[in-house]
Amino acid sequence: MSKRVIIIGGGIVGLCSAYFLQKEGHEVVIIDKSDMTSGASFVNAGYITPSHIVPLASPGMIAKGIKMMFNSASPFYMKPRWDIEFFKWSWYFHKSSTKEKVARAIPVIKEVNVLSRELFQFIKASGDLGDFQLERKGLLMLYKTKEAYLHEKEVADKASFLGLEVSELDQKQLARLEPNVAIDAKGAIHYECDGHTTPTQFMPKMLDHLRKVGVEIRLNEEVVDLKVKDNHIQEVQTSKGNYTADEVVLAAGSWSGKIARKINLDLPLQGGKGYSINVARPTGISIPAILMESNMAVTPMQGFTRFAGTMEFSGLNDHIRKERAVAIAKGAHSFYPTVDINDNEIANAKTGLRPVSPDGLPYIGRSNKLKNLTFATGHAMMGWSLGPVTGKLVSEIIGDRNTVMDIKAFSPDRRF
């Protein structure tokens, strides 16, 4: 049965939800508070990462964050501030960072990422978006120290056990794989299972397609309230008007928790700010990489190379700390000594807020309290990678069909 669906949020998750809902015959409206040309869905590393099997909430992360708290240039930065929601989230994060919980999360993360990788291929093969970059060159985990190698080797062994394609490269093998750029690293673990895209290419193409097939897109329109009656959302009120729908999807990224509180729903969520710098000059880099000791990502995209990284918890703002952008430039040069990111490129650094749940797993599913509300948020650093599969799951939930995988681990009502 066709339904009228309002999607709050126009990032990768919102657009992919609209894509699959429209294909099933639903009438879809997307409402976004921005003009949908910036934010996390545009400035991320573009990774499709079955290899990212370990959630952000893992043993030692809180201690690392506290240690780095007073260094605003550190890769994992938590700005000291009085914020009850942040304190509560931090406590839940701490409770989630156990070996047992991480072990339970790993196979789930692997499964959902592999499904999403297949759905990226489905979108590409459909021709709906025309041509866009979708490559499967894998991901290099570059390391300088034995400590970093041993840390990643442990993850690689788990990934291999789960059936993902992984190999180890020494310096000579690395040079053969990346012959056009000097790399200062002892070696790499190569996750051949991974792929990558160009977000600034994919997002406009998806928007154009959705408009062509009749999806209504409301830009620069902020949701100010939700009216509830009889355990249903009756009306979505925005800065420009009021809307009714059979179903509502909350895919507002880092702002999802704030919107949920308007209807007395507790959705522990924090915005984790990431930075990226684009270098349009040739760099010689052809394979995506994570520079382990620098805690940053590098992606060869369509027309430029993107250097991205950092996780900054400092509230819902788009303030750019220059020292963090400079740290990315220095980290890149440390591993690629012939690559110099200049002052102008640093000055043009962009940021985006990634919605981070306390346990590093997304919120995907219906609310137990409101019968016509579906959550699709909280993906942390996997938002881009999991966009298509989240959209597919949302369409199955709203279509009252069995989901392509068990989503109990993603329940928005789970306890921490």
Side-chain angles (χ1 to χ4, degrees):
M1 182 181 72
S2 176
K3 298 179 179 179
R4 177 174 166 83
V5 185
I6 288 177
I7 299 173
I8 302 173
I12 178 71
V13 171
L15 297 195
C16 285
S17 297
Y19 178 82
F20 287 104
L21 285 164
Q22 186 277 330
K23 279 194 174 295
E24 296 187 8
H26 299 292
E27 179 188 352
V28 183
V29 180
I30 298 173
I31 301 173
D32 195 274
K33 66 182 184 64
S34 74
D35 62 2
M36 290 169 64
T37 61
S38 62
S41 292
F42 289 83
V43 304
N44 66 85
Y47 289 165
I48 302 165
T49 50
S51 69
H52 281 31
I53 56 174
V54 179
L56 182 65
S58 56
M61 284 303 292
I62 282 288
K64 184 182 292 186
I66 292 172
K67 184 179 178 182
M68 296 179 173
M69 182 177 284
F70 298 102
N71 178 7
S72 62
S74 65
F76 186 70
Y77 174 59
M78 297 189 293
K79 179 184 177 182
R81 66 190 192 276
W82 184 265
D83 183 334
I84 297 299
E85 292 298 326
F86 181 63
F87 295 155
K88 183 169 66 175
W89 177 91
S90 299
W91 173 241
Y92 292 156
F93 187 99
H94 170 70
K95 289 175 64 179
S96 300
S97 300
T98 67
K99 289 183 178 180
E100 295 75 19
K101 290 183 178 180
V102 168
R104 288 199 299 270
I106 282 174
V108 178
I109 294 173
K110 178 257 183 177
E111 181 182 6
V112 74
N113 267 286
V114 170
L115 285 169
S116 207
R117 185 184 66 187
E118 293 171 357
L119 288 168
F120 266 110
Q121 292 287 354
F122 170 83
I123 294 171
K124 175 90 168 181
S126 73
D128 290 335
L129 276 60
D131 189 34
F132 63 89
Q133 184 194 32
L134 180 62
E135 297 190 65
R136 179 88 171 271
K137 293 184 176 180
L139 176 67
L140 297 171
M141 301 294 293
L142 298 175
Y143 59 86
K144 290 176 176 288
T145 63
K146 184 178 180 180
E147 181 185 10
Y149 163 73
L150 292 175
H151 176 272
E152 194 57 37
K153 171 65 174 169
E154 186 177 339
V155 177
D157 288 344
K158 292 174 183 175
S160 182
F161 178 78
L162 291 170
L164 298 175
E165 304 91 345
V166 190
S167 61
E168 293 189 39
L169 305 174
D170 60 24
Q171 287 179 319
K172 290 183 179 178
Q173 291 168 319
L174 188 57
R176 284 198 293 270
L177 203 60
E178 277 284 46
N180 298 316
V181 63
I183 301 177
D184 184 3
K186 290 190 179 301
I189 290 176
H190 188 198
Y191 290 100
E192 300 162 41
C193 51
D194 288 7
H196 70 284
T197 60
T198 299
T200 50
Q201 181 189 57
F202 181 93
M203 289 293 287
K205 284 178 177 284
M206 178 62 88
L207 271 168
D208 287 346
H209 167 72
L210 293 176
R211 287 190 175 104
K212 287 174 184 174
V213 295
V215 172
E216 184 181 346
I217 298 172
R218 310 288 299 183
L219 304 179
N220 302 305
E221 198 160 339
E222 185 171 2
V223 171
V224 295
D225 206 359
L226 301 169
K227 293 301 180 184
V228 175
K229 184 179 180 182
D230 299 327
N231 298 321
H232 285 74
I233 294 178
Q234 295 288 317
E235 190 174 68
V236 177
Q237 298 182 345
T238 77
S239 54
K240 295 184 179 179
N242 301 333
Y243 302 85
T244 58
D246 301 305
E247 301 274 359
V248 175
V249 178
L250 183 52
S254 296
W255 288 264
S256 299
K258 183 178 178 181
I259 293 173
R261 287 195 292 275
K262 294 179 183 293
I263 44 179
N264 298 316
L265 294 181
D266 184 24
L267 191 75
L269 200 65
Q270 287 291 311
K273 187 184 295 181
Y275 288 64
S276 72
I277 300 171
N278 294 340
V279 174
R281 298 171 284 110
T283 62
I285 298 168
S286 66
I287 300 175
I290 288 187
L291 317 182
M292 292 192 64
E293 286 85 356
S294 295
N295 287 282
M296 57 175 287
V298 182
T299 315
M301 295 187 178
Q302 203 73 40
F304 58 92
T305 304
R306 175 166 288 175
F307 299 85
T310 84
M311 180 64 81
E312 174 186 329
F313 293 104
S314 58
L316 296 179
N317 64 76
D318 58 2
H319 175 67
I320 293 178
R321 295 176 184 273
K322 185 180 177 181
E323 65 270 25
R324 299 184 71 73
V326 169
I328 289 175
K330 288 180 177 178
H333 183 72
S334 171
F335 277 82
Y336 300 104
T338 59
V339 176
D340 288 302
I341 299 175
N342 62 43
D343 290 343
N344 185 57
E345 289 158 342
I346 291 171
N348 284 305
K350 307 294 183 188
T351 67
L353 286 165
R354 297 161 291 196
V356 185
S357 70
D359 60 2
L361 295 177
Y363 297 115
I364 306 173
R366 284 199 183 278
S367 163
N368 285 338
K369 297 178 181 177
L370 297 175
K371 303 300 183 184
N372 66 337
L373 174 62
T374 298
F375 288 94
T377 188
H379 296 75
M381 293 181 291
M382 296 182 290
W384 186 262
S385 187
L386 299 183
V389 73
T390 304
K392 181 68 173 174
L393 290 168
V394 165
S395 72
E396 291 169 340
I397 293 164
I398 287 178
D400 298 315
R401 296 185 287 111
N402 292 330
T403 53
V404 69
M405 68 172 289
D406 187 341
I407 59 172
K408 285 199 295 288
F410 307 144
S411 169
D413 297 304
R414 64 185 183 270
R415 295 288 178 262
F416 300 102

